[in-house]
């Protein structure tokens, strides 16, 4: 069992894969060569899952940070005899070599520990366990390191120290004096290809410097946001970039799988994939972070991965692998006990099979934000977007599983209807670029049918709010989307009442927001940071800027010591829950900060007027 707090981890990324490093210098999660590959280290989910620890042999006081404007992690250990500084990074390529950041990443985990004062004995423990801990590889010492064989990949550890191997685990102790350093690197390759060579310490130092330079170069190009919480917005932009799979532009929802929404329960999902659901809010966040190339790459990925003949009656798939894969069939790994015994540990995600009608709105809104409106969109994107709009118009009356991917019966979720309205609203605005101005009339008529249904069946006088589903009174934080997508203005009395109802009834004693009032799986989950940022965003839109500022500040306070946000926060303990770090939480932070900094009145995309109340 792993019991280390989720918030104790820091993220490393090379825009292809990710690692999580604990505050005591242990890499407890690493998947190679992609975010969704089987793990090399998985102690995050089970003590037997493998790790790579570099730390002082005795007790130490620990502080850490990201090196300025980078995701190079700097951990400082102060011991009774001296001080050591550990630098960790997944190696990036250099933008100056003509590559986009991450395109030429070598797939190398770099570690350098330097004694900066006195003397420090550094202890190294290296226990790779490929295939989610199933494999205990055969380790062969070579001059300058170790080679590990077993399973689909060969691992090469460059380490200029003598490593003692005992049952697939290597140990070393190295005494460093002030000014001395120890450089190590881990690389992997397919077991059937040529093994990577050992890296000399000079090369490791150079690649660490190149990686820091690449992150700084990226950060300098993405400084447009000048409002409040600039540092938090800038870091969140780097986190979104870190969760991007550079070869395709896909952005994963999180770096991990199976970190639970409730300790000891079964809501443990694999988030190492890309959701269409996240698209429009992701693009807004990328725009705030001045990530125009990333916007284009992400939309391009969505358009390519989603493309299918929708007129065959099939559902638009809601999520994809980072390479565009569609079959994400879920399976359980019974040999892993899970974080704090929260089994099962899952890989894959069967939500890919679900019908979620909201995805049509997210896809059309993403296109509306990304594609030029003063020139004709070419096929096949044009044809696909037309099918998506027509499908939303045809199927909006159907029940589905909704934004929260309930694994129960289909229902008529308000958010799904709302996003079908968004699909048609954005399609109407884009009609000239789509070359179909003749469809505007029917689309407008259907858009008004959806509006009428939402206003009549989605509004509850008893609840004083727009509710989770048609005909019920249960509150749901997704109703905050009503003003955020431009369906109604922030000063509409129903919007103001909905925002206040959610603030009153879905907010816990910590000031954080739950997703909804009822849960078909009958489990108790934490509050959602995304929903809390939605509340701050909605308060800003309704003109409650002081309240929005307070809600935002309260949510940001739950970031860990290096600024990373989890999916949820336990109402009982205040600890982080869910997969980590969570892209949607950082997206919510960016969008809410921008809304508070630049409050504006949202209007329908085609310039139509909101109805008066």
């Amino acid at each position: 069992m792993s019991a280390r707090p989720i918030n104790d981890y820091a993220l490393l990324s090379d825009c292809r894969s990710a690692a999580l490093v604990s505050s005591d210098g242990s890499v407890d999660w690493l998947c190679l060569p992609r975010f969704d590959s089987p793990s090399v280290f998985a102690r995050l989910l089970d003590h037997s899952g493998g790790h790579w620890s570099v730390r002082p042999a005795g007790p130490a006081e620990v502080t850490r940070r990201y090196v300025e404007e980078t995701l190079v992690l700097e951990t400082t250990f102060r011991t009774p005899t001296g001080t050591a500084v550990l630098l960790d990074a997944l190696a990036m390529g250099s933008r100056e070599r003509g590559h986009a950041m991450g395109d030429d990443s070598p797939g190398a985990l770099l570690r350098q520990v330097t004694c900066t004062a006195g003397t420090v004995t550094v202890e190294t423990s290296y226990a790779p366990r490929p295939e989610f801990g199933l494999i205990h590889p055969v380790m062969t010492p070579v001059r300058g390191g170790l080679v590990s064989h077993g399973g689909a990949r060969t691992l090469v550890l460059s380490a200029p120290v003598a490593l003692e191997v005992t049952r697939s685990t290597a140990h070393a102790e190295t005494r460093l004096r002030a000014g001395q350093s120890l450089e190590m690197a881990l690389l992997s390759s397919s077991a059937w290809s040529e093994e990577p060579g050992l890296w000399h310490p000079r090369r490791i130092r150079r690649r660490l410097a190149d990686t820091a330079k690449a992150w700084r170069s990226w950060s300098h190009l993405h400084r447009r946001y000048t409002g409040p919480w600039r540092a938090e917005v800038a870091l969140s932009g780097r986190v979104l970039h870190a969760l991007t799979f550079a070869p395709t532009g896909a952005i994963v929802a999180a770096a991990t799988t199976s970190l639970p929404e409730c300790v000891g329960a079964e809501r443990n999902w694999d988030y190492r994939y890309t959701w269409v659901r996240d698209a429009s809010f992701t693009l807004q966040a990328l725009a705030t972070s001045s990530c125009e190339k990333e916007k284009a790459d992400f939309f391009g990925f969505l358009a390519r991965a989603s493309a299918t003949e929708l007129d065959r009656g099939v559902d638009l798939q809601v999520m994809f692998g980072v390479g565009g894969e569609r079959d994400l069939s879920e399976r359980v790994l019974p040999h892993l006990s899970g974080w704090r015994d929260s089994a099962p540990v899952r890989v894959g995600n069967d939500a890919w099979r679900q019908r979620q009608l909201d995805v049509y709105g997210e896809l059309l809104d993403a296109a509306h934000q990304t594609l030029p409106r003063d020139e004709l969109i070419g096929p096949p994107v044009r044809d696909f977007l037309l099918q998506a709009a027509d499908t939303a118009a045809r199927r909006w009356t159907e029940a589905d599983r909704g934004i929260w991917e309930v694994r129960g019966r289909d229902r008529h979720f308000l958010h799904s209807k709302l996003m079908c309205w968004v699909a048609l609203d954005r399609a109407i605005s884009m009609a000239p670029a789509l070359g179909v101005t003749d469809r505007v009339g029917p689309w407008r008529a259907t858009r008004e049918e959806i509006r009428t249904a939402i206003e009549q069946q989605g509004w509850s006088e008893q609840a004083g709010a727009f509710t989770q589903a048609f005909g019920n009174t249960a509150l749901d934080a997704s109703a905050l989307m009503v003003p955020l997508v431009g369906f109604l203005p922030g000063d509409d009395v129903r919007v103001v009442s909905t925002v206040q109802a959610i603030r009153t009834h879905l907010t816990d004693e910590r000031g954080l927001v739950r997703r909804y009032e009822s849960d078909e799986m009958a489990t108790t989950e934490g509050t959602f940071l995304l929903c809390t940022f939605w509340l701050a965003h909605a308060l800003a839109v309704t003109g409650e800027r002081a309240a929005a500022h307070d809600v935002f500040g309260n949510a940001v306070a739950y970031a860990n010591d290096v600024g990373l946000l989890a999916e949820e926060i336990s109402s009982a303990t205040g600890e982080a829950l869910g997969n980590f770090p969570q892209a949607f939480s950082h997206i919510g932070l960016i969008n809410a900060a921008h809304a508070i900094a630049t409050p504006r009145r949202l209007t329908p995309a085609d310039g139509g007027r909101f109805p008066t109340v």
Side-chain angles (χ1 to χ4, degrees), residues 111-114 158-160 181-185 199-202 204-205 208:
R111 316 200 73 180
Q112 178 192 55
V113 59
T114 303
S158 299
S181 64
L182 173 63
E183 289 82 17
M184 292 175 281
W199 283 20
H200 190 276
R202 286 193 302 273
I204 298 171
R205 290 193 294 269
L208 271 170

Side-chain angles (χ1 to χ4, degrees), residues 357-365 388-389 392-393 417-428 443:
L357 296 175
D358 60 303
V359 294
Y360 299 102
E362 277 109 13
L363 182 66
L364 267 296
D365 191 58
K417 313 299 184 188
L418 176 66
M419 295 311 295
C420 287
W421 180 93
V422 168
L424 295 175
D425 184 67
R426 289 5 177 209
I428 292 166
W443 281 344

Side-chain angles (χ1 to χ4, degrees), residues 3 23 56 98 205 319 332 487 530 566 573 584:
S23 62
R205 290 193 294 269
M319 58 189 297
V332 170
F487 182 82
L530 169 66
T573 66
F584 230 172

Side-chain angles (χ1 to χ4, degrees), residues 44-212:
L44 178 69
L45 296 175
D46 191 291
H47 191 73
S48 67
H51 67 279
W52 181 14
S53 174
V54 178
R55 57 156 289 119
E61 177 187 324
V62 181
T63 58
R64 61 181 179 171
R65 67 182 184 104
Y66 284 120
V67 175
E68 187 175 1
E69 297 188 315
T70 78
L71 283 189
V72 175
L73 181 65
E74 179 187 275
T75 305
T76 301
F77 299 98
R78 293 178 175 83
T79 77
T81 62
T83 300
V85 176
L86 174 65
L87 294 180
D88 287 319
L90 279 167
M92 284 286 198
S94 172
R95 295 180 66 93
E96 294 184 355
R97 295 173 182 171
H99 299 275
M101 187 171 170
D103 282 358
D104 63 340
S105 298
L109 175 57
L110 310 177
R111 316 200 73 180
Q112 178 192 55
V113 59
T114 303
C115 180
T116 58
T119 60
V120 178
T121 298
V122 174
E123 180 180 71
T124 300
S125 175
Y126 172 66
R129 298 292 183 264
E131 300 284 344
F132 297 106
L134 284 176
I135 295 171
H136 288 227
V138 175
M139 290 184 174
T140 304
V142 297
R143 185 174 181 179
L146 287 173
V147 178
S148 302
H149 295 282
R153 304 197 69 77
T154 294
L155 301 172
V156 175
L157 175 68
S158 299
V161 295
L163 290 157
E164 181 179 342
V165 178
T166 304
R167 303 186 65 181
S168 297
T169 299
H171 294 277
E173 286 196 359
T174 308
R175 188 170 182 268
L176 298 177
R177 297 190 301 273
Q180 292 183 324
S181 64
L182 173 63
E183 289 82 17
M184 292 175 281
L186 175 64
L187 292 93
S188 77
S189 67
S190 166
W192 316 115
S193 62
E194 184 177 350
E195 293 178 4
L198 292 163
W199 283 20
H200 190 276
R202 286 193 302 273
R203 185 178 186 183
I204 298 171
R205 290 193 294 269
R206 184 174 69 250
R207 291 311 298 253
L208 271 170
D210 284 348
T211 297

Side-chain angles (χ1 to χ4, degrees), residues 331-365:
R331 63 189 176 95
V332 170
L333 303 179
H335 62 283
L336 296 178
S337 62
W339 184 80
R340 295 194 185 172
D341 283 334
S342 298
V345 172
R346 294 180 171 96
V347 293
N349 195 313
D350 275 344
W352 74 275
R353 306 176 192 272
Q354 290 188 359
R355 172 186 300 162
Q356 296 175 24
L357 296 175
D358 60 303
V359 294
Y360 299 102
E362 277 109 13
L363 182 66
L364 267 296
D365 191 58

Side-chain angles (χ1 to χ4, degrees), residues 358-381:
D358 60 303
V359 294
Y360 299 102
E362 277 109 13
L363 182 66
L364 267 296
D365 191 58
H368 185 262
Q369 293 185 54
T370 306
L371 300 178
R373 285 172 244 172
D374 56 355
E375 58 186 67
L376 199 64
I377 299 168
V381 173

